[in-house]
Amino acid sequence: MRPVPPRTAFCKSAVPSSVREAYLWGREHLSACGVEAAALEAEVLLRCALGVTRAQLYVRWPASVEEGAWRRYVELLEQRGSGRPLAYLVGEREFCGLPFWVDERVLVPRPETEHLVEVVLEATRDVKDPAYVDVGTGSGAVAVALAVRRPDATVYATDVSRDALAVAERNAGRHGVSGRVQLLHGDALEPLLQAGLRAHAVAANPPYVPPSARSELPPEVLAEPEVAVFAPGPRGVELHERIADQARAVLRESGVLALEVAAKWDQARQVMRTLERMGYREVRAVRDLAGLERVVVARWR
Ligand code: GLN
């Protein structure tokens, strides 16, 4: 799906007479470009260009727009209209109630992934001073959320991308958990295996889109890092299987493995079967708010 060019000419040289006018123009532009939440996103971009809060925006509704702010707004609208994700434009996305810095180096954290965090917290409620692993941490969203929610936890966060680890490091610092989130460079659980580290839970939101589904993806997803989106094999669950295999040597007794899956391509079933075959117990799938099987969870021995 490619962005559709706007139906109406976007007259960017003429500064509109009011903030309200600017908002309406932006909304129309985004809507013409096929952006679903055009009204909300135009508002967010306008706030970003003006550097104001939501309340301040409405107070300024009838006021005029400075030329510099207008130019920034037009630039943001054009980039959004051509498929750049909103989160990259504003540089932030909320996850588990915490703001995370994001940019092109990392996947934009998704609300569905909050289930992964909840599942791990719930399954380790009775463990004192838990050690958690977040495989493929990206922005650090899962690792940092776990560390914030469990002040007695240590979290190992791995990623193959050094670029992603740099973003995760900033986010850990932002939320004051740098001392308890250890960033490790390497593929899947390799860094833990090499260092002989063990954990009470391993969580991951691995890249799970089969490469053959590329043409079905919206431009926003194609703007995210390939390595964070596309699975390394045709079924989409190849990395889940590698993590599950390695996790057997990392998990402590009764340790928890929680893996996010796509809500399609029969991924939950495939991962559940694999875990059972590998000797995991209590294998089950947790549904997201849309009622779709989202997280496969199991215990190791
Ligand atoms: N763990 C990060 C997240 O869930 C990144 C996952 C990824 O890049 N596949 O947002």
Side-chain angles (χ1 to χ4, degrees):
M1 190 173 70
R2 296 250 58 94
V4 186
R7 281 186 307 270
T8 50
F10 188 60
C11 181
K12 51 190 180 187
S13 53
V15 184
S17 56
S18 65
V19 169
R20 178 178 175 276
E21 259 335 274
Y23 162 74
L24 292 174
W25 277 34
R27 189 180 73 181
E28 192 183 344
H29 177 74
L30 293 185
S31 165
C33 290
V35 173
E36 252 174 64
L40 174 72
E41 296 201 12
E43 185 201 300
V44 170
L45 294 178
L46 185 53
R47 264 159 48 196
C48 184
L50 295 169
V52 298
T53 63
R54 185 158 210 207
Q56 288 166 339
L57 183 72
Y58 292 130
V59 172
R60 288 207 198 175
W61 220 224
S64 59
V65 184
E66 273 173 42
E67 190 163 348
W70 170 247
R71 267 202 306 262
R72 280 196 297 280
Y73 181 51
V74 168
E75 171 67 22
L76 290 168
L77 287 171
E78 287 185 332
Q79 291 200 34
R80 182 65 196 94
S82 65
R84 194 154 171 227
L86 183 73
Y88 292 162
L89 291 170
V90 301
E92 228 177 49
R93 177 54 51 93
E94 197 178 287
F95 180 79
C96 288
L98 303 167
F100 284 87
W101 279 310
V102 293
D103 60 32
E104 271 76 5
R105 293 174 289 178
V106 296
L107 192 84
V108 177
R110 310 291 206 265
E112 305 87 87
T113 307
E114 294 181 358
H115 290 286
L116 186 65
V117 173
E118 295 304 330
V119 162
V120 170
L121 291 172
E122 171 64 27
T124 54
R125 231 181 7 189
D126 301 329
V127 181
K128 226 179 127 271
D129 302 331
Y132 296 136
V133 187
D134 174 21
V135 181
T137 195
S139 63
V142 171
V144 171
L146 286 170
V148 168
R149 295 276 296 273
R150 278 295 300 257
D152 60 338
T154 300
V155 186
Y156 302 106
T158 78
D159 210 293
V160 271
S161 157
R162 288 196 191 273
D163 276 351
L165 289 175
V167 178
E169 188 176 11
R170 282 192 73 206
N171 282 317
R174 179 173 190 174
H175 295 294
V177 293
S178 299
R180 289 187 295 113
V181 175
Q182 282 195 40
L183 301 165
L184 304 167
H185 178 248
D187 183 50
L189 285 162
E190 252 350 294
L192 281 102
L193 294 173
Q194 277 170 22
L197 294 166
R198 310 284 300 276
H200 299 93
V202 169
N205 174 22
Y208 51 54
V209 179
S212 60
R214 177 182 289 271
S215 59
E216 298 165 32
L217 298 180
E220 287 78 5
V221 179
L222 293 172
E224 294 181 278
E226 292 255 327
V227 69
V229 172
F230 292 103
R235 290 173 299 125
V237 293
E238 291 79 3
L239 195 51
H240 300 69
E241 293 171 356
R242 199 186 312 158
I243 294 166
D245 174 36
Q246 295 176 336
R248 292 184 289 186
V250 169
L251 287 172
R252 296 187 177 277
E253 199 187 317
S254 274
V256 179
L257 175 65
L259 300 171
E260 182 168 335
V261 293
K264 45 186 179 176
W265 305 302
D266 200 32
Q267 289 194 348
R269 297 286 128 196
Q270 290 191 66
V271 172
M272 285 167 78
R273 267 199 303 272
T274 303
L275 297 193
E276 270 156 9
R277 199 164 14 86
M278 287 182 176
Y280 283 88
R281 60 184 177 84
E282 296 177 34
V283 180
R284 65 195 170 94
V286 175
R287 292 177 190 273
D288 62 18
L289 296 176
L292 305 165
E293 292 180 328
R294 261 296 164 189
V295 179
V296 173
V297 50
R299 286 199 187 263
W300 178 242
R301 301 269 156 99

